[in-house]
Amino acid sequence: MSEQESLRCSSARNRGGVQRVEGKLRASVEKGDYYEAHQMYRTLFFRYMSQAKHAEARELMYNGALLFFSYNQQNSAADLSMLVLEVLEKSETKVEDEILESLAKLFSLMDQNSPERVAFVSRALKWSTGGSGKLGHPKLHQLLAVTLWKEQNYSESRYHFLHSSDGEGCAQMLVEYSASRGFRSEVDMFVAQAVLQFLCLKNKNSASVVFSTYTEKHPSIEKGPPFVQPLLNFIWFLLLAVDGGKLTVFTVLCEQYQPSLKRDPMYNEYLDRIGQLFFGVPPKQSPSYGGLLGNLLNSLMGAGEEDDGAEEAQEDSSPIELD
């Protein structure tokens, strides 16, 4: 028997063993012996890890978590979900779409208000970028954003969309957010904030996509450009100016639209940052705003200012409340 055939046979035996164990554990859960089953899952987890059977340990914990979720055993399910992450961390598993989708699945099943969910998503995002301190893989952010959107948790969904590359999905979520929670007079502000924040994260492509999709699909926005709302016209011109890269155009644009930009005190802070990133404007010696506003801006920007890739979405910033 060749080495390759031997490996295949070994893998098949291991898979068969996992299936037999899963059958016994499932029977315990179905009988309502939740505590005993949970403890057995943990025992098997440490046994598999000590034998370096990482794939088997991850599969067993993942399926066990799904099983406990199906019986509304949230605490046991969350604990096994964290063990899935522990396998990924200790085995240095490479990031793959299938794994990210499985993590998003576990997240979607967790109690929306549980502290375990917060801990799980934080740890999952950290793993997805190799524990580098950055804020997570864009694909995982996108999957989380969609889940939160379905839950109508628009604020958190928007945060994750900002750190994904899904400008179209973000726009569609914002249309729903605006229609269900916003005032008609604020229809332009929902997309303006998103565009400015995408640009501050140097994600010019998503900024353009979110603007075009939002203005096309929002039922309260008349076809443009030009638009009825001055703020939308400003954003439209700003995106053109970013493509052109001419400082004089950017400066005149910001001056002419000050009445619209004063509607939110953060707009000019964002524009200061955009001026630095795309038009070579030197940083101010002291920020115009301190306290909460300054902290929000700094947390949005994170450490991204050191990277010159204007086309790339940056994940090395910290979460902020975007309401």
Coordinates of all heavy atoms in Angstrom, one line a residue, residues 76-123:
S76 N -23.9 25.8 26.7 CA -23.0 24.6 26.2 C -22.6 24.9 24.8 O -21.5 24.6 24.4 CB -23.8 23.3 26.3 OG -24.1 23.0 27.7
A77 N -23.5 25.4 24.0 CA -23.2 25.6 22.6 C -22.2 26.7 22.4 O -21.2 26.6 21.6 CB -24.5 26.0 21.8
A78 N -22.3 27.8 23.2 CA -21.3 28.8 23.2 C -19.9 28.3 23.6 O -18.9 28.7 23.1 CB -21.7 30.0 24.1
D79 N -19.9 27.5 24.6 CA -18.6 26.9 25.1 C -17.9 26.1 24.1 O -16.7 26.3 23.8 CB -18.8 26.1 26.4 CG -17.6 25.5 26.9 OD1 -16.7 26.3 27.3 OD2 -17.4 24.3 27.0
L80 N -18.7 25.3 23.4 CA -18.1 24.5 22.3 C -17.7 25.3 21.1 O -16.7 25.0 20.4 CB -19.1 23.4 21.8 CG -19.5 22.3 22.9 CD1 -20.2 21.2 22.2 CD2 -18.3 21.8 23.7
S81 N -18.4 26.4 20.9 CA -18.0 27.4 19.8 C -16.7 28.0 20.1 O -15.8 28.2 19.2 CB -19.1 28.5 19.7 OG -20.3 27.9 19.3
M82 N -16.4 28.3 21.4 CA -15.1 28.8 21.7 C -14.0 27.8 21.6 O -12.9 28.2 21.2 CB -15.2 29.4 23.2 CG -16.1 30.5 23.4 SD -15.8 32.0 22.5 CE -14.5 32.7 23.4
L83 N -14.4 26.5 21.8 CA -13.4 25.5 21.6 C -13.0 25.3 20.1 O -11.9 25.0 19.8 CB -13.9 24.2 22.2 CG -14.0 24.1 23.7 CD1 -14.5 22.8 24.2 CD2 -12.7 24.5 24.4
V84 N -14.0 25.6 19.2 CA -13.7 25.6 17.8 C -12.6 26.6 17.5 O -11.7 26.4 16.8 CB -15.0 25.9 17.0 CG1 -14.6 26.2 15.5 CG2 -16.0 24.8 17.1
L85 N -12.8 27.8 18.1 CA -11.8 28.9 17.9 C -10.4 28.4 18.5 O -9.4 28.7 17.9 CB -12.2 30.2 18.5 CG -13.4 30.9 17.8 CD1 -13.8 32.1 18.6 CD2 -13.0 31.3 16.4
E86 N -10.4 27.7 19.6 CA -9.2 27.3 20.2 C -8.4 26.4 19.3 O -7.2 26.4 19.2 CB -9.5 26.6 21.6 CG -8.2 26.3 22.4 CD -8.5 25.9 23.8 OE1 -9.5 26.3 24.4 OE2 -7.7 25.1 24.3
V87 N -9.2 25.5 18.7 CA -8.5 24.6 17.7 C -7.9 25.4 16.6 O -6.7 25.2 16.2 CB -9.5 23.6 17.1 CG1 -8.8 22.7 16.1 CG2 -10.2 22.7 18.1
L88 N -8.6 26.3 16.0 CA -8.1 27.2 14.9 C -6.8 27.9 15.3 O -5.9 28.0 14.6 CB -9.2 28.1 14.5 CG -10.4 27.5 13.8 CD1 -11.5 28.6 13.6 CD2 -10.1 26.8 12.5
E89 N -6.8 28.4 16.6 CA -5.7 29.2 17.0 C -4.5 28.3 17.3 O -3.4 28.6 16.8 CB -6.1 29.9 18.3 CG -7.1 31.0 18.2 CD -7.7 31.4 19.5 OE1 -7.5 30.7 20.5 OE2 -8.5 32.4 19.5
K90 N -4.7 27.2 17.9 CA -3.5 26.3 18.3 C -3.0 25.5 17.1 O -1.8 25.2 17.1 CB -3.9 25.4 19.5 CG -4.2 26.2 20.8 CD -4.4 25.2 21.9 CE -4.5 26.0 23.2 NZ -4.8 25.1 24.4
S91 N -3.8 25.2 16.2 CA -3.4 24.4 15.0 C -2.9 25.3 13.9 O -2.4 24.9 12.9 CB -4.5 23.6 14.5 OG -5.6 24.4 14.0
E92 N -3.0 26.7 14.1 CA -2.6 27.7 13.1 C -3.2 27.4 11.7 O -2.5 27.4 10.7 CB -1.0 27.7 13.0 CG -0.4 28.1 14.3 CD 1.1 28.2 14.2 OE1 1.7 27.8 13.1 OE2 1.8 28.7 15.1
T93 N -4.5 27.1 11.8 CA -5.2 26.8 10.6 C -5.3 28.0 9.7 O -5.5 29.1 10.1 CB -6.7 26.3 10.9 OG1 -6.6 25.2 11.8 CG2 -7.5 25.9 9.7
K94 N -5.1 27.8 8.4 CA -5.2 28.9 7.4 C -6.7 29.3 7.2 O -7.6 28.5 7.3 CB -4.6 28.4 6.1 CG -3.1 28.2 6.1 CD -2.6 27.9 4.7 CE -1.1 27.6 4.7 NZ -0.6 27.3 3.4
V95 N -6.8 30.6 7.0 CA -8.2 31.1 6.8 C -8.7 30.7 5.4 O -8.1 30.8 4.4 CB -8.1 32.7 6.8 CG1 -9.5 33.3 6.5 CG2 -7.7 33.2 8.2
E96 N -9.9 30.1 5.5 CA -10.6 29.7 4.2 C -12.1 30.1 4.4 O -12.6 30.2 5.5 CB -10.5 28.1 4.1 CG -9.1 27.6 3.9 CD -9.1 26.1 3.9 OE1 -10.2 25.5 4.0 OE2 -8.0 25.5 3.7
D97 N -12.7 30.3 3.2 CA -14.1 30.8 3.2 C -15.0 29.8 4.0 O -15.9 30.3 4.7 CB -14.6 30.9 1.8 CG -14.1 32.2 1.1 OD1 -13.4 33.0 1.8 OD2 -14.3 32.4 -0.1
E98 N -14.8 28.5 3.8 CA -15.6 27.5 4.5 C -15.6 27.7 6.0 O -16.6 27.6 6.7 CB -15.2 26.1 4.1 CG -16.1 25.0 4.7 CD -15.6 23.6 4.3 OE1 -14.6 23.5 3.5 OE2 -16.2 22.7 4.8
I99 N -14.4 27.9 6.5 CA -14.2 28.1 8.0 C -14.9 29.4 8.4 O -15.6 29.4 9.4 CB -12.7 28.1 8.4 CG1 -12.1 26.7 8.0 CG2 -12.6 28.4 9.8 CD1 -10.6 26.7 8.3
L100 N -14.7 30.5 7.7 CA -15.3 31.8 8.0 C -16.8 31.6 8.0 O -17.5 32.2 8.9 CB -14.9 32.8 7.0 CG -13.4 33.2 7.0 CD1 -13.1 34.2 5.9 CD2 -12.9 33.7 8.4
E101 N -17.4 30.9 7.1 CA -18.8 30.7 7.0 C -19.3 29.9 8.2 O -20.4 30.1 8.7 CB -19.2 30.0 5.7 CG -19.1 30.9 4.5 CD -19.1 30.2 3.2 OE1 -19.3 28.9 3.2 OE2 -18.9 30.8 2.1
S102 N -18.5 28.9 8.6 CA -18.9 28.1 9.8 C -18.9 29.0 11.1 O -19.8 28.8 11.9 CB -18.0 26.9 10.0 OG -16.7 27.3 10.4
L103 N -17.9 29.9 11.2 CA -17.9 30.8 12.3 C -19.1 31.7 12.3 O -19.7 32.0 13.4 CB -16.6 31.5 12.4 CG -15.3 30.7 12.5 CD1 -14.0 31.6 12.5 CD2 -15.3 29.9 13.9
A104 N -19.4 32.2 11.2 CA -20.5 33.1 11.1 C -21.8 32.4 11.4 O -22.8 33.0 12.0 CB -20.6 33.7 9.6
K105 N -21.9 31.1 11.0 CA -23.1 30.3 11.4 C -23.2 30.2 12.9 O -24.3 30.4 13.4 CB -22.9 28.9 10.8 CG -24.0 27.9 11.2 CD -25.3 28.2 10.5 CE -26.3 27.1 10.8 NZ -27.7 27.4 10.2
L106 N -22.2 29.9 13.6 CA -22.2 29.8 15.1 C -22.6 31.2 15.7 O -23.4 31.2 16.6 CB -20.8 29.4 15.6 CG -20.4 28.0 15.2 CD1 -19.0 27.7 15.7 CD2 -21.3 26.9 15.8
F107 N -22.1 32.2 15.1 CA -22.4 33.6 15.6 C -23.9 33.8 15.4 O -24.5 34.4 16.3 CB -21.6 34.6 14.8 CG -22.0 36.0 15.1 CD1 -21.5 36.7 16.2 CD2 -22.8 36.7 14.2 CE1 -21.9 38.0 16.5 CE2 -23.2 38.1 14.5 CZ -22.7 38.7 15.6
S108 N -24.4 33.4 14.3 CA -25.9 33.7 14.0 C -26.8 33.0 15.0 O -27.9 33.4 15.2 CB -26.2 33.3 12.6 OG -26.2 31.9 12.4
L109 N -26.3 31.9 15.5 CA -27.2 31.1 16.4 C -27.1 31.5 17.9 O -27.9 31.1 18.7 CB -26.8 29.6 16.3 CG -27.1 29.0 14.9 CD1 -26.5 27.6 14.8 CD2 -28.6 28.9 14.7
M110 N -26.1 32.3 18.2 CA -25.9 32.7 19.6 C -26.9 33.7 20.0 O -27.4 34.5 19.2 CB -24.5 33.3 19.8 CG -23.4 32.3 19.7 SD -21.8 33.0 20.1 CE -20.7 31.6 19.9
D111 N -27.3 33.7 21.3 CA -28.2 34.7 21.9 C -27.6 36.1 21.6 O -26.5 36.4 21.9 CB -28.3 34.5 23.4 CG -29.3 35.4 24.0 OD1 -29.3 36.6 23.7 OD2 -30.1 34.9 24.9
Q112 N -28.5 37.0 21.0 CA -28.0 38.3 20.5 C -27.5 39.1 21.7 O -26.7 40.0 21.4 CB -29.2 39.0 19.8 CG -29.6 38.3 18.6 CD -30.8 38.9 17.9 OE1 -31.1 40.1 18.1 NE2 -31.6 38.2 17.1
N113 N -27.9 38.9 22.9 CA -27.6 39.8 24.0 C -26.6 39.1 25.0 O -26.3 39.6 26.0 CB -28.8 40.2 24.8 CG -29.8 40.9 24.0 OD1 -29.4 41.9 23.3 ND2 -31.1 40.5 24.0
S114 N -26.0 38.0 24.6 CA -25.1 37.3 25.5 C -23.7 37.8 25.4 O -23.2 38.2 24.4 CB -25.1 35.8 25.1 OG -24.4 35.5 23.9
P115 N -23.0 37.9 26.6 CA -21.6 38.3 26.6 C -20.7 37.3 25.8 O -19.7 37.7 25.3 CB -21.3 38.4 28.1 CG -22.3 37.5 28.7 CD -23.5 37.6 27.9
E116 N -21.2 36.0 25.8 CA -20.4 35.0 25.1 C -20.3 35.3 23.6 O -19.3 35.1 22.9 CB -21.0 33.6 25.2 CG -20.9 33.0 26.6 CD -21.9 33.6 27.6 OE1 -22.8 34.3 27.1 OE2 -21.8 33.2 28.8
R117 N -21.4 35.9 23.1 CA -21.4 36.3 21.6 C -20.3 37.4 21.3 O -19.6 37.3 20.3 CB -22.7 36.8 21.2 CG -22.9 36.8 19.7 CD -24.2 37.5 19.3 NE -24.8 36.9 18.1 CZ -25.6 37.5 17.3 NH1 -26.1 38.7 17.6 NH2 -26.1 37.0 16.2
V118 N -20.2 38.3 22.2 CA -19.3 39.4 22.1 C -17.8 38.9 22.1 O -17.0 39.2 21.3 CB -19.4 40.5 23.2 CG1 -18.4 41.6 23.1 CG2 -20.8 41.1 23.1
A119 N -17.6 38.0 23.1 CA -16.3 37.4 23.2 C -15.9 36.5 22.0 O -14.8 36.5 21.5 CB -16.2 36.5 24.5
F120 N -16.9 35.8 21.5 CA -16.7 34.9 20.3 C -16.3 35.7 19.1 O -15.4 35.4 18.4 CB -18.0 34.1 20.1 CG -17.9 33.2 18.9 CD1 -17.3 32.0 18.9 CD2 -18.4 33.6 17.6 CE1 -17.2 31.1 17.8 CE2 -18.3 32.8 16.5 CZ -17.7 31.6 16.6
V121 N -17.1 36.8 18.8 CA -16.8 37.5 17.6 C -15.5 38.2 17.7 O -14.7 38.3 16.7 CB -18.0 38.5 17.3 CG1 -18.0 39.7 18.2 CG2 -17.9 38.9 15.8
S122 N -15.1 38.7 18.8 CA -13.9 39.4 19.0 C -12.7 38.4 18.7 O -11.7 38.8 18.0 CB -13.8 40.0 20.4 OG -12.5 40.5 20.6
R123 N -12.8 37.2 19.3 CA -11.7 36.2 19.1 C -11.7 35.7 17.7 O -10.6 35.5 17.2 CB -12.0 35.1 20.1 CG -10.9 34.1 20.3 CD -11.1 33.3 21.5 NE -10.3 32.1 21.6 CZ -10.4 31.2 22.5 NH1 -11.3 31.3 23.5 NH2 -9.5 30.2 22.5

